[in-house]
Amino acid sequence: MIELLLLTTVPVMFFAAQGVPGVGLVAATVVGGIFSAGSASVFNCVYDRDIDEQMRRTRRRALPRHVVTPRAALIFGSVLAALSVVVLGLFVNWLSAGLSLAANAFYVFVYTMLLKRRTTQNIVWGGIAGCFPTLIGWTAVTNQVSWEPLILFMVVFFWTPPHTWALALRYREDYKQVDVPMLPVVKSARHVGGQIVAYSWIMVATSLLMWPVADTGWLYPVAAIALGVVFLVQAHQLHARAKGTEDLTKIRPMQLFHSSNLYLSLLFVALAVDPLLR
């Protein structure tokens, strides 16, 4: 996930620069982003260590295995957060540093501590933290926020539920065991599939807004349409397979999960290459 979030940062920098941004600027933004995302992940692991011990997907993490103490992890996470702010503030700009710190705080306090264990909408609103790299990549180059990164922010926002719910379908028994109300835990696979289809349509439609708003070249809209069609077909196929069954071997949710990673990666790569072709 950290790699994927960074992959939404660097291409935005290329598009904001309408070419190749400075190597030093990209390096500082990437390093600061790694520290920030790493810090948020560490804090998440500290807070969720009780349920991580019980879940198949997470029980091999360092804290559930007692390889690292909670105190040491808190210190490590705090150091990473501080380094992120310093690196981004001194070598990029303070707007990007502030946005990075806000994303970290939102992920820890709003998603992990407030939403995750209380509502089926946890990853819908909690996923906002993962949208911030689009803003950070843009502000790293321009030192201001505009409509273009906000549209990309919304693309990632609407991408997050299909991506995460597909994974949660695969591990719904884990979430059920620890009373985390992910949507696949409290609703049928058919219902989840319907929600995935709905968010996928909105995501694809939002991605196409970049064409008129940002006045892109031909590559980005072609890629957005082609990738969107493939994603929508797979979302509808998952929904069709989920009708009348809860058997995960028939629903095959991980197909969509892996495809969603590829979709977002290729969409943002197209965004980065688009200005280079003009």
Side-chain angles (χ1 to χ4, degrees):
M1 284 302 297
I2 290 176
E3 294 170 357
L4 195 62
L5 292 177
L6 292 175
L7 189 57
T8 62
T9 304
V10 176
V12 173
M13 296 180 71
F14 274 71
F15 191 80
Q18 287 296 292
V20 181
V23 175
L25 181 64
V26 173
T29 306
V30 168
V31 170
I34 290 173
F35 287 155
S36 180
S39 169
S41 296
V42 170
F43 290 139
N44 175 267
C45 286
V46 172
Y47 189 81
D48 279 348
R49 64 188 184 277
D50 58 329
I51 61 176
D52 282 352
E53 286 187 357
Q54 304 175 56
M55 295 177 63
R56 248 184 329 161
R57 188 172 65 88
T58 57
R59 62 190 178 195
R60 297 295 298 169
R61 290 177 179 174
L63 283 164
R65 293 169 56 206
H66 305 287
V67 175
V68 176
T69 65
R71 180 176 180 274
L74 281 173
I75 293 172
F76 181 53
S78 300
V79 170
L80 288 177
L83 285 174
S84 171
V85 173
V86 170
V87 169
L88 290 172
L90 295 181
F91 299 104
V92 182
N93 57 60
W94 290 104
L95 175 57
S96 298
L99 288 170
S100 177
L101 185 60
N104 191 336
F106 192 95
Y107 184 80
V108 174
F109 295 109
V110 178
Y111 170 66
T112 300
M113 299 179 68
L114 180 63
L115 298 176
K116 184 174 181 178
R117 306 193 194 195
R118 291 180 172 86
T119 172
T120 58
Q121 297 298 300
N122 46 19
I123 58 92
V124 175
W125 301 108
I128 288 175
C131 305
F132 272 82
T134 59
L135 301 180
I136 295 167
W138 186 272
T139 58
V141 174
T142 67
N143 202 19
Q144 63 182 6
V145 177
S146 60
W147 282 110
E148 294 92 332
L150 290 174
I151 291 172
L152 296 170
F153 182 102
M154 294 308 297
V155 170
V156 180
F157 176 80
F158 290 119
W159 168 87
T160 302
H163 169 80
T164 310
W165 284 334
L167 181 67
L169 262 175
R170 169 65 178 82
Y171 291 102
R172 63 184 176 184
E173 293 304 320
D174 274 2
Y175 289 112
K176 183 178 181 180
Q177 179 181 339
V178 294
D179 295 322
V180 173
M182 299 295 284
L183 188 65
V185 172
V186 300
K187 295 292 185 179
S188 67
R190 179 176 182 172
H191 178 88
V192 175
Q195 290 294 299
I196 286 174
V197 167
Y199 274 93
S200 298
W201 274 100
I202 300 173
M203 175 194 72
V204 173
T206 304
S207 72
L208 294 174
L209 288 177
M210 278 296 289
W211 184 18
V213 171
D215 190 26
T216 69
W218 63 269
L219 178 63
Y220 176 81
V222 169
I225 292 171
L227 292 168
V229 167
V230 172
F231 195 97
L232 288 172
V233 167
Q234 294 194 343
H236 278 279
Q237 287 176 339
L238 182 145
H239 188 209
R241 293 194 298 267
K243 291 179 179 179
T245 183
E246 295 293 323
D247 187 347
L248 294 179
T249 61
K250 296 179 179 178
I251 298 172
R252 303 194 298 278
M254 293 303 287
Q255 285 187 3
L256 184 67
F257 173 78
H258 293 303
S259 294
S260 66
N261 288 331
L262 190 61
Y263 167 85
L264 199 67
S265 301
L266 293 179
L267 183 71
F268 276 79
V269 167
L271 182 76
V273 175
D274 185 274
L276 304 179
L277 300 179
R278 285 189 278 169

